[in-house]
Amino acid sequence: MRSFFPSIFHKDDPRTALHSRLDNVFDDFAKDWLTTWPNARAEMGVMPAIDVKECAEYVEIKAELPDMEEKDIDVDIRGNYLSISGEKRHEQEKDEKGYHLRERSFGSFQRQIPLGFNIDADQITAQYKKGVLAIHVPKPAELQRDAKKVRVDFHE
């Protein structure tokens, strides 16, 4: 971040080099902070972590949604997209040894997972246990075929 004020130092003054180095430090800090901002939001708990595992017969999706209630979580199907959305509300109040703490955090989220095939909503199962939402999406029969091993001939 360059200063808006003109430098009071001459270009031969060693303080000018220090001023330039400090500008670089602030530039690097601003660049790092701005590029990590979405990740910082995820670490604060607004955007849940998602794991997608593909097996031969199904796709398994797990979302970390700690301390959420059924009424706060929605799972929707649109074509070949599975969407997990919800609103996270957390309120904490403590009174200990003269310290008083009251924290609140609120935030909504939506994650869309493209599966590459049309999803039959009647075949999906979902379970919420110990803060993890696990969704089991069976693949259509034509995608469940066993993989065939192809022999590779090596020539020297």
Side-chain angles (χ1 to χ4, degrees), residues 116-133:
F117 56 86
N118 283 330
I119 304 163
D120 183 358
D122 296 330
Q123 299 296 313
I124 295 176
T125 58
Q127 181 182 24
Y128 180 80
K129 185 177 181 181
K130 294 185 179 180
V132 177
L133 174 66

Side-chain angles (χ1 to χ4, degrees), residues 136-148:
H136 186 271
V137 182
K139 288 182 178 179
E142 64 271 10
L143 296 178
Q144 291 186 21
R145 295 188 192 127
D146 292 331
K148 304 280 187 210

Side-chain angles (χ1 to χ4, degrees), residues 5-153:
F5 303 104
S7 175
I8 59 171
F9 304 117
H10 297 293
K11 65 179 177 178
D12 295 334
D13 192 319
R15 290 176 287 187
T16 303
L18 176 63
H19 182 82
S20 177
R21 277 189 260 150
L22 283 175
D23 277 347
N24 291 338
V25 168
F26 284 109
D27 286 345
D28 291 343
F29 172 79
K31 181 177 66 179
D32 289 345
W33 184 79
L34 289 173
T35 57
T36 60
W37 173 246
N39 295 332
R41 284 191 56 206
E43 290 169 7
M44 291 188 303
V46 177
M47 196 62 66
I50 302 273
D51 294 331
V52 179
K53 177 183 174 183
E54 183 175 8
C55 298
E57 294 87 25
Y58 63 91
V59 174
E60 182 180 65
I61 299 155
K62 290 187 178 181
E64 293 180 15
L65 304 171
D67 303 324
M68 293 193 67
E69 297 177 22
E70 182 181 352
K71 65 181 176 67
D72 296 328
I73 301 171
D74 289 316
V75 178
D76 297 317
I77 306 297
R78 288 191 182 96
N80 63 353
Y81 284 87
L82 183 130
S83 175
I84 302 170
S85 59
E87 187 172 354
K88 193 169 189 175
R89 292 181 220 111
H90 176 72
E91 197 165 339
Q92 176 183 5
E93 190 168 341
K94 288 184 181 179
D95 264 325
E96 289 181 14
K97 298 181 185 176
Y99 290 97
H100 184 75
L101 170 70
R102 185 173 185 172
E103 294 182 329
R104 291 173 297 284
S105 62
F106 302 91
S108 59
F109 62 87
Q110 181 176 15
R111 300 293 306 264
Q112 286 192 328
I113 300 104
L115 295 178
F117 56 86
N118 283 330
I119 304 163
D120 183 358
D122 296 330
Q123 299 296 313
I124 295 176
T125 58
Q127 181 182 24
Y128 180 80
K129 185 177 181 181
K130 294 185 179 180
V132 177
L133 174 66
I135 303 169
H136 186 271
V137 182
K139 288 182 178 179
E142 64 271 10
L143 296 178
Q144 291 186 21
R145 295 188 192 127
D146 292 331
K148 304 280 187 210
K149 196 76 165 166
V150 175
R151 194 174 95 96
V152 177
D153 290 327

